[in-house]
Amino acid sequence: MSDLFTLAMPWWEFVLRAVVVYVVVLGMVRLSGKRALGQFTPFDVLLIVLLGNAVQNALLGEDTSLAGGLLLAATLMLLNYAVGWFTARSPRVERMVEGEPVVLARSGRVFIHVLRRELVSKADFDVAMRQQGCADISEVELALLETNGHITILQQPKN
C-alpha cells in the first residue's frame, strides 16, 4: 500500500516527460492534417487508442504509482489549458496550433491536388456538398477545409 504514493523518479521528471510527449504528439497531430481532427473513422479511433498506449511508457517510465499517474494527468490538463489560453489570445499561436483554412474549390472548380494533400477523398467532398445543399460543383463559389476538419461550402449567388 505504501508504494501507491511512492514515486519511482523525481516529480519534475514526470512534468518534463509530460511536456515533451505533449509537444511532440501535438506536432504529430498537426502534421497529420485537418482530416484527422474533424472526420473520425474507425481507423482514426484505433490510432488514438494505440497512440495513448504507445506514449504510456514514455510518460510513466518505470513508475506505476497512483501519485505518478495523477501528477501526469494534472500536468497534461494544465498544458492543455495553457495551449488553449495562448491560442485564444495570440493569432500567431492559433495559426501554429490550429492551422488555417484551406481552399478546396473555387468558382465551380475542385482542386484535386489540394484534396489529396489534405487527405480528403472526393467522396467526402461530395458528401459535404450534398449536406450543404449543393447538387453540382457548378453551384460552389468557395469550399474551405476548416481548421477543425469540417468542409464549408459557400454557394454561387442565385439569380
Side-chain angles (χ1 to χ4, degrees), residues 3 9 23 51 54-56 62 79 85-86 91 102 104 106 112-113 126 146 154:
D3 290 343
M9 56 190 160
V23 169
L51 186 60
V55 300
Q56 176 184 357
E62 297 297 317
L79 280 170
W85 190 88
F86 283 112
V102 176
L104 300 177
R106 180 175 303 203
I112 299 297
H113 66 283
D126 291 342
E146 302 291 354
L154 303 174

Side-chain angles (χ1 to χ4, degrees), residues 66-129:
L66 178 62
L70 293 175
L71 180 58
L72 280 172
T75 302
L76 291 170
M77 290 177 74
L78 182 64
L79 280 170
N80 199 54
Y81 177 83
V83 168
W85 190 88
F86 283 112
T87 298
R89 285 162 180 75
S90 169
R92 184 176 178 200
V93 173
E94 181 180 22
R95 275 191 312 278
M96 192 172 67
V97 172
E98 295 183 11
E100 294 179 315
V102 176
V103 176
L104 300 177
R106 180 175 303 203
S107 302
R109 184 169 168 253
V110 178
F111 304 131
I112 299 297
H113 66 283
V114 177
L115 290 179
R116 287 187 186 132
R117 183 185 73 218
E118 297 298 329
L119 304 176
V120 176
S121 70
K122 182 70 168 77
D124 287 341
F125 183 81
D126 291 342
V127 167
M129 278 186 21

Side-chain angles (χ1 to χ4, degrees), residues 1 3-4 33 49 53 66 69 107 125 129 134 139 154-155:
M1 185 73 159
D3 290 343
L4 197 60
V49 170
N53 192 42
L66 178 62
S107 302
F125 183 81
M129 278 186 21
C134 286
E139 298 175 18
L154 303 174
Q155 295 184 20

Side-chain angles (χ1 to χ4, degrees), residues 2-17:
S2 64
D3 290 343
L4 197 60
F5 295 101
T6 304
L7 299 177
M9 56 190 160
W11 68 267
W12 57 265
E13 192 172 330
F14 284 96
V15 173
L16 179 62
R17 285 171 176 262

